[in-house]
Amino acid sequence: MEAFSFGSYYPGDSAVHRLDPRTKLLLGFAFLITVLTVGSFCGLVPVAMFVVLVYVVARVPLRRVLSSMAPLLAIVVVVAVLNLFSDQSGRILWQLGFLQVSEGSLRSAAFVACRLTLMMAGMSAITLTTPTLDLTAGFERLLAPFARVGLPAHELGMIMGIALRFMPQFATEMKQTADAQASRGARVTGGPLGGVRMLGSVAIPLFTGVFRHAETLSAAMDARCYHGEQGRTRLHALAFGRGDVLAALAMALLVTCVVVINLQLF
Amino acid sequence: MIECRGVSFSYDGAAPALDGVDLNIEDGEFFCILGGNGSGKSTFAKHLNALLQPDAGTVRVNGMDASDPELVYDIRSTAGMVFQNPDDQLVATLVEDDVAFGPENLGVPSAQIARRVREALKGVGLVGFERHETHALSGGQKQRVALAGVLAMEPRVLILDEASSMLDPRGRKGLMKACHALHNRGMTIVMITHFMEEAAEADRVAVFQAGRVAMLGKPEEILTRADELAQLNLDMPVSCCLGRALREKGVSVCAQVREADMVAEIAQAYAERSGTDIAGQPSASDSHVLDNGSSAADGIAASEPVIEISHLSHSYSLSARERRRWRKRSTTADASSKQALWGNDPNSPWALRDVSLTVRRGEFLGLAGHTGSGKSTLVQHLNGLIRPQEGSVCALGLDLSNKKDAAAVKAKVGVVFQYPERQLFAETVAQDVAFGPRNLGLPQDEVARRVASSLARVGLDLAAIGDKSPFELSGGQQRRVAFAGVLAMEPEVLVLDEPMAGLDPAARRDFLGLIDRLHREGLTVVMVSHSMDDLANCCDRIVVMNEGAVFAEGTPAQVFAHADELKSIGLGVPAAQRMALALAQAGVPLRCDKLYAVEALADELAGLLLGCADVPLRVPCQAGSKAPTREEGC
């Protein structure tokens, strides 16, 4: 069977790995906002330094980082190309009909590309150092305060966890069904009608499979005494530690740097 | 421990699934529940831990009334349950989180959960798997994780609902070993199964039929009643068949339900008759060299090849350049020297390694090998689903590395995958079967003709079920419809991947008969199976795969003569052969150079024990150095 790997967790035991997932999620959010407020190349320098620092501390090899970001780089390219035609200040360098590229647009495209890449690198640092289950647990706990206004935080976390658990399962099943139908002559390239038939012949067994799984899974969860959040404990209780404080301080430093640079320039 | 009084239950209010079941299960007992598909045994199991509530009657678990809503979680943690399918009862991505799920729900403090997880994993032999991802485990390992998840709740009763039915022989053996170890430490075990060999190991057995307990007693009382069992869609264990066959021939032995006991009894009878104590007599062992490739059955060797595979290698993980480099390295270093002792070398990137194989017209070829041995990858090569990376596959004169030819071959080599009923999708049975012919672009009347004829070939009537939804049919009928869907392509070669998986003994026999008939009608059949008995009964030739390479090839008699070599790669031999080898080991002079069926073995033993002159005595021989034990294949 083909290996299917979801997420991009890189196992390790560094200080970054050991951070509480809630810290990582909150700081990740702060990081995104900070990077979005950066207005110049100069402001991106401390951001880049921060990202490099995180990866060095996490001891994730460069190759692994690049391979986890590779699929996202397509987005960077698309956004950068779009930006080429937006800002039209400065000398015009190239023109074809109504399309033109100027110095300003070139600079803005490069800036947007750098900013996006750094944002993705920062976010990848979270998914690379945190198992998906810990992420959902952190997510669940962060949403817990909203439970009072009716937000089903625990259920959302549970749903995310189970979805992640079954993702590779469904990928395997889809491959098996597609193989079986292909053995009966189904082709995606058999014209629009053949395409629709092929899609149905794979999608319907997949859906019936989902329901079959859901039925047994719910019985299996019942059999293991699942009854919602009430009175539930955790194998790994989440707890903030010294590392989390240090991480927060590092993030505060980054925010200060960016703010200072932004103010100087305006 | 468990007390059931007049338990009745119905899913729809009309047809009863359980109809007045009275059953007591003692503390510390190993209790086995048998029954055909749809006999109510799974429904009954769900009553034992309050997943279902009886319509009438009472269930008491350890003195607690299962209908008391206050006690539900006490009961479920007292009577833990492992389900059939290893794929849909694990909740978490990581092994330790899944095992912790039960105690987390029970509100056990964190430190104690960690201890329970550790102990539960130790109990099922999975120490060191804590941070492994559940979806990457083998079926047998997943079932043991599920078992650990139940153990972590510290139950007193363990209910296994056909938990071993979807596993390969090795996975089943591991699960049974874990269960017996727990039982020895005092756990009450309630096991639902289709496998008579598992039932033979129990303290007591109950046979269900139509929601009632049809038979109840010790295995030796129940499993020896052939006629009643046959009526209940069950079989006798092979050892009982042998014992009965011997009695019919006038040999005074009792039919034993456990193979080891049967072997001991026959050996004893032989020793008494020959007047000498020959047990444990050593005999020269000549180890055979596995005959690779050279030994096709004589009659078959003459017919033309339909599929020819030569030097086929396949890797899911390596790129073309890495494959070349790897090949260079393995020719310089001795590749065979560092093979993993047990199971696949996890570092080996090869799904198939230098496989050469010929399927000849009209033959029935068996394909054996444990999970991960490369069988599935090989099957996908047979009809061009995977195109060869290295080496070549020729089917019906077409080279499958050519994209166009690969598409043409799909119609001629029909593949029935595992659990084919899961691929049904159309609104009606007729439409589903027509899917293949329609994809071939055949005219309407030809499609209709093929639908009718292929349904008839699998023993179904188009007029009766053609307009029904495939999802209304019973499991066995669904599988037949899926078979028909492949047959409607009118293939010349039929490839079957575990066609009997998950069926009860009676349905297994029906399907084997069906496949045998298709073969006799002229189809070339390739069948993947875990059941050595089925392979020995049906096949002209058997290919054994191990670690992506052909391990052995030959007629069933040739392949199964190497019991020890097969055992070393986690496979067994057919039960009759296993007993013959054990008898030879115990000193009974059987010739082991041929493959025994139960009848032939009984004939020869009767000859020996009654002193018929027409069976010549021969020097006892052994296929290897160690006697196969009875756990093998269970």
Side-chain angles (χ1 to χ4, degrees):
Chain A
M1 276 298 117
E2 253 164 294
F4 178 93
S5 99
F6 185 82
S8 51
Y9 180 59
Y10 178 81
D13 193 34
S14 72
V16 180
H17 282 88
R18 283 197 307 270
L19 287 181
D20 190 293
R22 284 171 293 177
T23 315
K24 287 191 233 188
L25 283 170
L26 285 176
L27 294 187
F29 190 61
F31 176 80
L32 279 186
I33 306 257
T34 316
V35 179
L36 281 174
T37 59
V38 172
S40 66
F41 275 107
C42 195
L44 287 179
V45 173
V47 176
M49 280 163 59
F50 179 79
V51 169
V52 169
L53 177 78
V54 168
Y55 278 114
V56 167
V57 174
R59 288 197 292 273
V60 180
L62 184 67
R63 253 182 89 168
R64 193 74 176 70
V65 180
L66 292 179
S67 75
S68 90
M69 282 174 55
L72 301 171
L73 288 179
I75 303 174
V76 174
V77 171
V78 170
V79 173
V81 167
L82 287 179
N83 261 278
L84 268 184
F85 308 110
S86 60
D87 181 358
Q88 294 300 351
S89 58
R91 198 152 53 85
I92 289 168
L93 298 171
W94 180 81
Q95 193 159 20
L96 179 79
F98 64 94
L99 293 175
Q100 52 180 16
V101 175
S102 66
E103 270 178 348
S105 67
L106 208 58
R107 196 183 315 116
S108 99
F111 175 70
V112 168
C114 287
R115 185 158 76 178
L116 257 183
T117 313
L118 283 174
M119 278 165 78
M120 286 171 180
M123 290 298 108
S124 286
I126 298 180
T127 53
L128 277 167
T129 60
T130 324
T132 39
L133 211 81
D134 288 4
L135 271 185
T136 55
F139 192 70
E140 183 189 325
R141 287 290 290 276
L142 284 178
L143 290 181
F146 300 100
R148 258 174 250 145
V149 293
L151 189 84
H154 170 75
E155 284 74 10
L156 281 176
M158 201 69 207
I159 289 168
M160 270 172 71
I162 289 175
L164 287 170
R165 146 81 183 87
F166 276 93
M167 211 67 92
Q169 175 88 33
F170 290 142
T172 316
E173 270 168 33
M174 196 167 92
K175 168 95 173 39
Q176 280 167 354
T177 314
D179 275 356
Q181 309 299 25
S183 298
R184 288 165 74 187
R187 270 176 312 214
V188 194
T189 51
L193 199 69
V196 168
R197 247 203 328 246
M198 170 74 180
L199 201 66
S201 71
V202 175
I204 293 170
L206 195 66
F207 274 117
T208 53
V210 169
F211 287 117
R212 195 179 53 239
H213 285 311
E215 205 174 318
T216 1
L217 182 70
S218 64
M221 286 171 72
D222 273 345
R224 288 210 259 161
C225 304
Y226 181 70
H227 53 278
E229 194 187 5
Q230 219 177 17
R232 208 164 181 275
T233 47
R234 283 197 172 280
L235 171 61
H236 299 295
L238 298 182
F240 291 113
R242 263 219 335 246
D244 298 291
V245 179
L246 285 175
L249 285 176
M251 179 57 76
L253 187 66
L254 173 69
V255 173
T256 321
C257 289
V258 169
V259 168
V260 166
I261 292 172
N262 278 352
L263 288 180
Q264 268 179 357
L265 287 178
F266 289 123
Chain B
M1 177 53 80
I2 294 175
E3 264 184 77
C4 301
R5 287 281 157 274
V7 176
S8 294
F9 180 80
S10 166
Y11 284 101
D12 53 7
L18 289 179
D19 188 8
V21 175
D22 292 305
L23 209 56
N24 279 346
I25 297 170
E26 305 298 327
D27 194 4
E29 194 170 26
F30 198 120
F31 193 88
C32 213
I33 299 179
L34 295 166
N37 289 339
S39 60
K41 36 188 206 329
S42 291
T43 310
F44 177 69
K46 288 196 174 121
H47 280 81
L48 300 185
N49 65 347
L51 283 177
L52 293 175
Q53 298 293 341
D55 296 337
T58 55
V59 179
R60 297 181 82 82
V61 179
N62 202 16
M64 296 176 283
D65 188 342
S67 58
D68 186 344
E70 297 267 292
L71 295 172
V72 155
Y73 299 113
D74 292 321
I75 286 168
R76 287 184 186 160
S77 60
T78 308
M81 183 146 162
V82 180
F83 293 78
Q84 179 181 16
N85 192 339
D87 287 328
D88 52 21
Q89 54 181 315
L90 301 184
V91 224
T93 325
L94 294 180
V95 169
E96 66 173 357
D97 290 311
D98 190 81
V99 177
F101 185 71
E104 283 179 347
N105 289 330
L106 293 171
V108 176
S110 296
Q112 231 185 75
I113 298 181
R115 178 188 61 78
R116 286 192 185 192
V117 169
R118 225 172 22 246
E119 280 171 14
L121 284 175
K122 204 168 125 199
V124 298
L126 284 176
V127 175
F129 281 72
E130 287 82 354
R131 305 294 289 173
H132 282 223
E133 289 189 37
T134 46
H135 78 85
L137 301 176
S138 74
Q141 288 169 336
K142 280 183 197 168
Q143 283 302 65
R144 281 192 279 156
V145 171
L147 182 58
V150 170
L151 290 180
M153 299 193 300
E154 304 193 332
R156 299 192 52 198
V157 185
L158 203 58
I159 306 162
L160 297 117
D161 186 1
E162 292 186 39
S164 68
S165 70
M166 294 175 88
L167 305 181
D168 67 354
R170 180 186 287 174
R172 196 178 308 146
K173 198 167 144 185
L175 186 67
M176 285 303 287
K177 200 172 150 191
C179 289
H180 279 288
L182 288 166
H183 177 238
N184 289 339
R185 295 213 308 264
M187 181 80 77
T188 309
I189 299 204
V190 180
M191 179 179 243
I192 295 168
T193 183
H194 282 323
F195 292 97
M196 300 300 139
E197 282 75 18
E198 291 176 1
E201 303 290 326
D203 295 328
R204 269 198 312 155
V205 176
V207 183
F208 272 60
Q209 191 204 18
R212 290 168 172 278
V213 179
M215 295 159 97
L216 175 70
K218 292 191 178 310
E220 42 272 38
E221 295 161 18
I222 303 292
L223 298 177
T224 47
R225 280 143 64 176
D227 303 333
E228 287 170 66
L229 285 173
Q231 270 177 12
L232 302 171
N233 286 352
L234 297 172
D235 275 336
M236 283 196 302
V238 181
S239 60
C240 288
C241 297
L242 179 65
R244 259 176 69 102
L246 282 173
R247 281 187 79 86
E248 277 166 11
K249 292 179 201 309
V251 183
S252 61
V253 290
C254 294
Q256 298 284 348
V257 290
R258 295 183 185 85
E259 271 175 28
D261 296 347
M262 191 74 240
V263 166
E265 176 144 355
I266 296 172
Q268 177 72 26
Y270 179 77
E272 276 166 17
R273 203 194 149 269
S274 61
T276 47
D277 186 7
I278 51 162
Q281 177 184 316
S283 56
S285 89
D286 55 329
S287 61
H288 305 254
V289 180
L290 283 187
D291 18 359
N292 263 327
S294 58
S295 55
D298 295 338
I300 299 292
S303 61
E304 56 161 328
V306 281
I307 300 178
E308 274 188 297
I309 296 170
S310 68
H311 303 290
L312 181 68
S313 292
H314 187 86
S315 165
Y316 288 111
S317 56
L318 302 182
S319 67
R321 215 175 64 204
E322 284 172 314
R323 284 202 304 274
R324 270 200 300 280
R325 206 182 309 149
W326 191 279
R327 188 148 300 286
K328 222 175 267 166
R329 204 183 329 159
S330 63
T331 47
T332 51
D334 185 13
S336 64
S337 66
K338 58 182 276 283
Q339 271 187 7
L341 269 178
W342 202 70
N344 292 352
D345 180 356
N347 299 318
S348 168
W350 296 104
L352 287 178
R353 215 166 36 186
D354 201 20
V355 172
S356 294
L357 190 65
T358 306
V359 182
R360 295 182 182 280
R361 188 170 294 280
E363 80 171 329
F364 196 135
L365 179 72
L367 210 52
H370 56 77
T371 311
S373 61
K375 287 176 309 189
S376 306
T377 311
L378 185 61
V379 163
Q380 290 177 348
H381 275 93
L382 293 180
N383 75 340
L385 276 176
I386 302 181
R387 271 182 285 142
Q389 290 174 337
E390 280 176 32
S392 68
V393 180
C394 273
L396 302 149
L398 298 170
D399 181 1
L400 295 195
S401 54
N402 181 329
K403 197 171 178 182
K404 235 190 187 127
D405 287 354
V409 155
K410 284 202 182 82
K412 292 288 149 209
V413 181
V415 181
V416 179
F417 287 90
Q418 244 181 75
Y419 300 100
E421 61 275 17
R422 292 187 186 162
Q423 280 118 36
L424 299 177
F425 68 96
E427 281 163 53
T428 69
V429 169
Q431 281 177 21
D432 206 289
V433 177
F435 181 68
R438 270 202 198 127
N439 285 327
L440 294 178
L442 297 170
Q444 275 304 327
D445 50 339
E446 172 66 8
V447 171
R449 185 192 67 76
R450 285 191 176 195
V451 169
S453 78
S454 59
L455 279 172
R457 283 171 91 183
V458 297
L460 294 174
D461 184 15
L462 173 66
I465 63 158
D467 292 329
K468 282 193 180 172
S469 159
F471 301 105
E472 288 170 34
L473 305 177
S474 77
Q477 281 179 319
Q478 286 188 2
R479 194 166 292 189
R480 280 168 193 266
V481 171
F483 265 56
V486 174
L487 290 176
M489 308 276 289
E490 305 208 325
E492 292 176 38
V493 183
L494 187 62
V495 182
L496 303 155
D497 191 355
E498 285 284 325
M500 271 89 69
L503 298 174
D504 67 13
R508 277 185 94 87
R509 265 200 306 276
D510 288 351
F511 266 90
L512 266 182
L514 169 69
I515 295 164
D516 197 45
R517 203 173 64 236
L518 292 171
H519 173 235
R520 274 186 282 114
E521 284 170 14
L523 270 178
T524 308
V525 179
V526 179
M527 181 169 87
V528 177
S529 180
H530 287 319
S531 163
M532 297 299 146
D533 289 87
D534 292 347
L535 289 174
N537 287 337
C538 306
C539 298
D540 302 321
R541 216 154 55 89
I542 295 176
V543 170
V544 180
M545 300 283 297
N546 185 43
E547 295 189 6
V550 174
F551 182 77
E553 181 182 358
T555 62
Q558 287 168 336
V559 168
F560 291 127
H562 305 290
D564 285 336
E565 287 94 330
L566 289 175
K567 195 182 172 189
S568 72
I569 60 165
L571 296 175
V573 294
Q577 182 73 2
R578 193 159 63 223
M579 285 189 287
L581 289 169
L583 282 168
Q585 181 77 21
V588 179
L590 287 168
R591 29 177 314 195
C592 305
D593 51 349
K594 67 171 187 183
L595 184 66
Y596 283 104
V598 171
E599 270 306 309
L601 181 60
D603 279 342
E604 196 154 333
L605 283 171
L608 286 171
L609 294 167
L610 299 172
C612 288
D614 59 346
V615 181
L617 284 179
R618 280 188 175 79
V619 185
C621 71
Q622 284 176 304
S625 52
K626 250 175 24 192
T629 55
R630 69 179 147 78
E631 289 96 3
E632 196 174 1
C634 291

